[in-house]
Amino acid sequence: MMQAILSNPKSILPALRGSALPGAILLLVLLMVVPIPAFMLDIFFVMNIMISIAVLMVALNAQKPLDFSAFPTVLLFATLFRLGLNVASTRVVLVHGHEGEAAAGHVIEAFGTFLIGGDYVVGLFVFSILIIINMIVVTKGAGRVSEVSARFTLDALPGKQMAIDADLNAGLITPDEARNKRIETGAEADFYGAMDGSSKFVKGDAVAGLLILAINIVGGLILGVVSHQMAVGQAAQTYVLLAIGDALVAQVPSLLLSIAAAAIVTRVTSTSQQDLAGQIGSQFASHRTWAPVAGILGLLAMLPGMPFLVLAPAAGIAGFASWKLAKQKNAPPPPPPVEALPEAADLSKIGWEEVADTCHIMLDIGYGLVPLVDERKGAPLMSRITGVRRQLSKELGFVVPQVKVRDDINLAPYTYRISIGGVVVGEDMASATEMLALDTGQAVGGLLQGKTAKDPTFGLDAIWIQPGDADAATGAGYLVVDAGTVIATHLNHVLTVNATELLGPDEVQSLLDGLKDRAANLVAALCPNPLSLTTLTQVLRALLAENITLKEFRRIAAAIVVVAQRTQDADEIVELIRPELGALIIQKLCGVREPLRVMTLEGQLEALLGQAMRNDPSRRHAIEPDLGRRIVDALTHAAQPLMAEAKPFALVVQPSIRVAIRKLVKTCLPDTPVMSFFEVPEDKAVEVVAVIGAPEAIPA
């Protein structure tokens, strides 16, 4: 091990850092057990004072309590270190105290002679006052604040967690932000709980200092009189002075740590992210605060018998501070910093940023809709777009690309346009200052005043009304939504219809990477061999085109792996894996105990279409146009009663003609799945709701 450390010197620092804390604890034990010389005691006393000052500075400079989350543990070890020093110093004072005031080290001597003038009676009173300040004022107050803070923080924890979940569900924050907020909330509860217990360390330390002083005084008097034949007065002068110096050396760092603990627990987090000094300074930086102070001090200075030479300068300082702060408040804001002028652009060159856009989904808005994305007004449209992306990503099974919103001066003021891959897929109008009342079939007409319109998503009759008429519209049976919801709903519909355009090789690679953590062997057997990433993308896009989502990507990948051993053609793979995905398709159409409502083609018609498929291997013109039109009319006529009752159904045909029939009915019934007989599970009950007859039975 030593050879490895010498061969790599950089590994020494992590090793030393990891052993620092265990070494410090071992040192504490040694201080309590092993006698140490006086000069070592001086070093440790100075180190104790240095640590206490450093802890106090960190506590005062923290912007919020959690910035010093290690404080409870630091307080514990600092207290143990000081108590260990008390034990070591007590041993030195009692053993070598008869040798003189410097027998216990120069630090104790300095505190015993210089700070209290060498009079142990004065030292007793000074130490008593310090104990009262530490125990009664600082420690007791900090302990009470810690107790209340811990109780309130724990009581508010469920509400904070629910608020985070609500913001996440509303799309106001991302999952990573929600995770960080939960971690911070839990850490805050742990911190205040630990501080509640740590306050007992500070109080116990103060009590221990008082008891150790009494033990040193009594023990010193006994040892001086009995063991060293000293007079009582001489023993008191020597040992009591050393005991007082020892107590003061320990009590000053203890008071500093008590102040640090009180500053941490009484700190209120500021939104301006300032340290404690900055927060206090900003709240006292008002001329209205110092003007009355200057006036009152000036009046006191004028009273007979008052110390004029003391009060008058203080009043002048307060008055000057008030005048200076008032002058700063009324001063014009400083001019913005002068930025260096950019270099003149070379008009003969064209950059890629001028002709390329990295965002796949674009939402262009006219200037009349800019308030919907204005951050000063809450940007309601942006939060709804985030919610749309999150919900749609859950439904489709992959992360929907980011939507870029930009204003376009070429658009009409209240027009918006949705583009995917540079192709416009949706366009309509909305009013940022009005609300849309949708007639869902239960509204009472003729009661609302406004501009008539059509809902861009469902094509419902609608009226743009003023926000003040929203309650009346709701009472009349209308569904009232704001402009942000109208645009977000339209965006959701357009993205759902064009889901195939949202899936590319990068999204497919992300699906594979996510699956690799759970099924590494399955991913290894799928891509890049036998299927390339391009072919796999084509297969998944074909599934999305038929409303088969990728939420169960593991099941889809397992089916593709089996079929890919026979063929690498994307269209053939889709047809071969569909029987394995039949249960995923029909679960959207009926419940577990409900029968599957299906439409079928009459046998003679299916035979005719099957023959046409065999005569045209390309399957491009397999169905004669007039026959196709009559089939579409018959299907639409049969589907109308089911669609009116909102009863979903499937069209079930022979496997050989499924693709051709799907292309045929896609324009009139885009949401109706076309399935082959093999895709319906054997244990699933089927209810035939309509049979499309032979060609001669189809109305012309």
Side-chain angles (χ1 to χ4, degrees), residues 547-566:
N547 299 326
I548 301 177
T549 65
L550 307 182
K551 288 193 296 185
E552 298 297 332
F553 181 62
R554 180 170 184 170
R555 180 170 180 171
I556 295 173
I560 295 176
V561 166
V562 176
V563 174
Q565 307 300 323
R566 299 161 52 185

Side-chain angles (χ1 to χ4, degrees), residues 27-29 31-33 41 45 48 75-91 200-212 246 250-251 253-254 257:
L27 179 63
L28 292 178
V29 177
L31 285 176
M32 297 181 183
V33 177
L41 200 61
F45 275 131
N48 183 29
L75 185 61
L76 169 64
F77 287 116
T79 303
L80 291 177
F81 180 47
R82 188 165 53 258
L83 293 176
L85 283 178
N86 282 333
V87 174
S89 62
T90 297
R91 182 186 298 109
K200 306 301 187 296
F201 296 149
V202 179
K203 182 178 180 180
D205 181 29
V207 175
L210 184 62
L211 295 177
I212 291 174
D246 180 26
Q251 197 60 36
S254 175
L257 286 182

Side-chain angles (χ1 to χ4, degrees), residues 157-235:
L157 185 60
K160 292 181 178 179
Q161 297 285 5
M162 293 176 64
I164 294 173
D165 293 339
D167 290 344
L168 178 62
N169 295 332
L172 301 178
I173 57 177
T174 64
D176 292 338
E177 292 174 341
R179 189 180 304 110
N180 293 335
K181 284 181 176 291
R182 292 192 186 100
I183 293 175
E184 183 177 356
T185 302
E188 184 180 7
D190 295 340
F191 173 78
Y192 282 109
M195 283 302 302
D196 185 24
S198 299
S199 62
K200 306 301 187 296
F201 296 149
V202 179
K203 182 178 180 180
D205 181 29
V207 175
L210 184 62
L211 295 177
I212 291 174
L213 173 64
I215 292 173
N216 283 339
I217 292 176
V218 174
L221 290 176
I222 295 175
L223 287 174
V225 173
V226 176
S227 300
H228 302 293
Q229 289 78 40
M230 299 174 63
V232 175
Q234 182 184 2

Side-chain angles (χ1 to χ4, degrees), residues 304-379:
M306 288 293 179
F308 177 82
L309 296 179
V310 177
L311 292 175
I317 294 174
F320 176 77
S322 176
W323 171 78
K324 193 70 174 177
L325 292 173
K327 184 178 179 181
Q328 291 179 357
K329 181 180 179 181
N330 298 326
V338 179
E339 299 181 357
L341 294 177
E343 297 182 2
D346 189 352
L347 300 180
S348 64
K349 296 181 180 180
I350 302 177
W352 280 105
E353 64 277 3
E354 299 182 45
V355 297
D357 203 315
T358 56
C359 286
H360 191 55
I361 308 174
M362 306 292 298
L363 175 60
D364 298 323
I365 59 176
Y367 68 84
L369 299 177
V370 170
L372 295 178
V373 296
D374 190 350
E375 293 184 356
R376 293 172 299 179
K377 299 182 179 181

